[in-house]
């Protein structure tokens, strides 16, 4: 096994160049999927190697429940500097597990409370909150939570925006951006500052988030960054490329890139400096019924990994507007190796492959060592 067990912990560094270049040189859809896949694979590989190191470290602790043979010198010799690495892996993996579990719990709690808070509004895909002070909009996925915030089959919105029975496909058996699970939450303050064409761009943007399940990409890279801090640049890059993906889909839907750019610019201007609405805990206190129209503010939407449309928090809005004022990007499935972004993509792909092979090699080697050391 040797040093191969440590490689997946540092190989995410090979993805840093593509995390930066993919934002500018690749199509947003390709960049989002590529970076999410790389981050997920590398996070799993590094977690597996931490688990292998934790086995060696736990076996050295007095009173551990593992077989005594797992602390033999033959087992410890498989890991370089086993006394330091093995014992350090125990608290590290525990912290990773706790942080990821906390993120998942908060993600599902925010989504459940948001659906429960919207239960008093009409069952349309667009939920308009009568708030004249805060201007924001975000896509709220439906998933397994119904309009009452409880687990259930959910529902599907047809082309007319009305909620249909859960699990039923629309005539034709296809799902489009307007038929995806979830709702679009927008305040009246944001709608009042947009022209009709810009409102259509806003709704098309959020429908693209729901149709492409961007919340899953955001959650995946967030968990990956918590499993390995070297993957944080990929989390930032995916947050941007997911918004750009939705921008391009909105521009294609409304037929005008400038209209989408104006909508984003106006939303950013009216959102900046606006007083944030009260937190979700204040809207839905424990044991109390939520007031009609209450929904999580953009800060909590970001906490749950929900895509927001030009949220008040500072972000790369100028870059999104500049990209929309430029010609539409050409979709390419794979970049040429003779370009800068192509070299970065191949470097990340090689790092991902080496990380997967190293973790698999370490896992198989440790399995054989432990099997040989365990008495029959």
């Amino acid at each position: 096994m040797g040093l191969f067990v440590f490689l997946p912990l540092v190989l995410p560094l090979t993805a840093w160049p593509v995390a930066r270049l993919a934002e500018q040189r690749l199509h947003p859809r390709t960049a989002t999927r590529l970076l999410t896949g790389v981050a997920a694979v590398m996070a799993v590989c590094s977690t597996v190697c931490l688990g292998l190191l934790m086995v060696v470290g736990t076996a050295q602790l007095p009173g551990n429940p593992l077989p005594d043979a797992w602390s033999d010198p033959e087992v410890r010799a498989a890991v370089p500097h086993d006394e330091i690495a093995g014992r350090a892996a125990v608290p590290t993996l525990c912290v990773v597990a706790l942080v990821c579990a906390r993120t998942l719990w908060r993600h599902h709690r925010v989504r459940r409370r948001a659906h429960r808070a919207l239960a008093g509004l009409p069952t349309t895909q667009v939920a308009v909150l009568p708030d004249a002070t805060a201007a924001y909009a975000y896509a709220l996925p439906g998933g397994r939570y119904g309009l009452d915030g409880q687990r259930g089959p959910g529902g599907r919105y047809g082309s007319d925006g009305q909620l249909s029975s859960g699990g039923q496909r629309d005539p034709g058996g296809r799902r489009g951006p307007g038929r995806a699970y979830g709702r679009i939450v927008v305040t009246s303050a944001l709608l009042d500052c947009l022209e009709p064409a810009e409102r259509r761009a806003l709704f098309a943007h959020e429908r693209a988030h729901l149709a492409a399940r961007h919340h899953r990409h955001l959650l995946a890279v967030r968990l990956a960054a918590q499993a390995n801090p070297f993957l944080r640049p990929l989390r930032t890059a995916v947050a941007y490329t997911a918004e750009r993906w939705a921008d391009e889909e909105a521009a294609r839907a409304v037929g005008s890139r400038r209209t989408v750019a104006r909508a984003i610019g106006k939303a950013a201007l009216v959102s900046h400096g606006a007083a944030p609405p009260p937190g979700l805990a204040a809207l839905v206190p424990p044991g109390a019924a939520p007031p009609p129209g209450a929904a999580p503010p953009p800060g909590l939407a970001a906490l749950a990994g929900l895509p927001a449309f030009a949220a008040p928090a500072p972000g790369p809005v100028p870059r999104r507007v500049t990209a929309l004022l430029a010609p539409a990007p050409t979709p390419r499935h794979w970049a040429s190796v003779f370009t800068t972004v192509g070299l970065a993509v191949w470097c990340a792909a090689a790092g991902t492959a080496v990380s997967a092979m190293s973790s698999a090699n370490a896992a198989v080697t440790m399995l054989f060592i432990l099997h040989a050391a365990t008495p029959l």
Side-chain angles (χ1 to χ4, degrees):
M1 188 165 58
L3 294 175
F4 284 101
V5 72
F6 297 111
L7 283 180
L9 302 178
V10 296
L11 279 175
L13 295 174
T14 61
W16 283 15
V18 74
R20 181 60 177 173
L21 294 174
E23 300 179 3
Q24 309 165 357
R25 307 292 180 83
L26 294 180
H27 191 276
R29 179 178 61 250
T30 304
T32 303
R33 292 173 175 173
L34 172 67
L35 296 178
T36 303
V38 169
V41 172
M42 287 191 168
V44 170
C45 293
S46 62
T47 304
V48 168
C49 290
L50 273 180
L52 297 177
L53 293 174
M54 188 190 71
V55 171
V56 178
T58 304
Q60 302 178 38
L61 299 177
N64 67 84
L66 302 178
D68 296 337
W70 287 17
S71 61
D72 290 347
E74 292 80 4
V75 178
R76 294 162 54 185
V79 178
H81 310 289
D82 61 283
E83 293 186 358
I84 300 176
R87 294 184 179 181
V90 176
T92 302
L93 189 59
C94 291
V95 170
V96 169
L98 289 175
V99 171
C100 291
R102 180 172 177 264
T103 297
L104 289 173
W105 176 72
R106 296 175 72 178
H107 173 84
H108 289 288
R109 183 188 64 173
V110 170
R111 285 180 56 182
R112 183 173 61 253
R113 290 190 175 184
H115 281 286
R116 187 181 303 157
L118 297 176
L121 298 180
T123 57
T124 57
Q125 187 183 30
V126 179
V128 180
L129 304 183
D131 192 340
T133 59
Y136 61 88
Y138 60 88
L140 179 62
R144 294 174 296 176
Y145 300 106
L147 295 179
D148 56 354
Q150 303 299 324
R151 292 182 182 270
R156 191 182 302 280
Y157 293 93
S159 56
D160 59 352
Q162 297 295 326
L163 184 69
S164 61
S165 59
Q168 298 294 327
R169 289 185 177 271
D170 290 318
R174 294 186 301 271
R175 288 190 302 172
R179 299 182 177 92
Y181 284 111
R183 308 185 76 179
I184 300 172
V185 182
V186 59
T187 60
S188 58
L190 180 57
L191 293 179
D192 291 341
C193 73
L194 298 178
E195 300 294 333
E198 296 165 351
R199 293 181 183 180
R200 291 194 295 270
L202 164 66
F203 297 146
H205 176 98
E206 300 302 338
R207 288 192 183 102
H209 280 314
L210 294 173
R213 311 291 201 200
H214 287 166
H215 64 284
R216 295 182 178 178
H217 294 276
L218 298 176
L219 180 61
V221 294
R222 181 168 187 170
L223 294 174
Q226 291 174 340
N228 192 323
F230 289 148
L231 293 172
R232 288 181 179 177
L234 277 71
R235 170 188 173 183
T236 304
V238 170
Y240 172 75
T241 57
E243 292 298 328
R244 284 283 300 116
W245 182 355
D247 291 343
E248 294 297 331
E249 292 295 325
R252 185 179 61 85
V254 301
S256 173
R257 301 176 63 82
R258 288 186 174 271
T259 300
V260 180
R262 286 199 306 268
I264 295 174
K266 285 185 178 181
L269 289 176
V270 299
S271 300
H272 183 69
L280 187 60
L283 293 175
V284 190
L300 287 176
L303 174 66
L306 308 180
F309 185 84
V317 173
R319 285 194 294 157
R320 292 171 55 192
V321 174
T322 302
L324 284 168
L325 296 179
T330 303
R332 288 186 298 179
H333 296 290
W334 199 255
S336 173
V337 71
F338 300 105
T339 61
T340 305
V341 66
L343 288 175
V345 169
W346 282 102
C347 179
T352 305
V354 173
S355 179
M357 290 187 295
S358 298
S359 60
N361 173 74
V364 172
T365 302
M366 179 61 71
L367 180 63
F368 279 113
I369 293 176
L370 295 178
H371 182 269
T374 303
L376 299 177

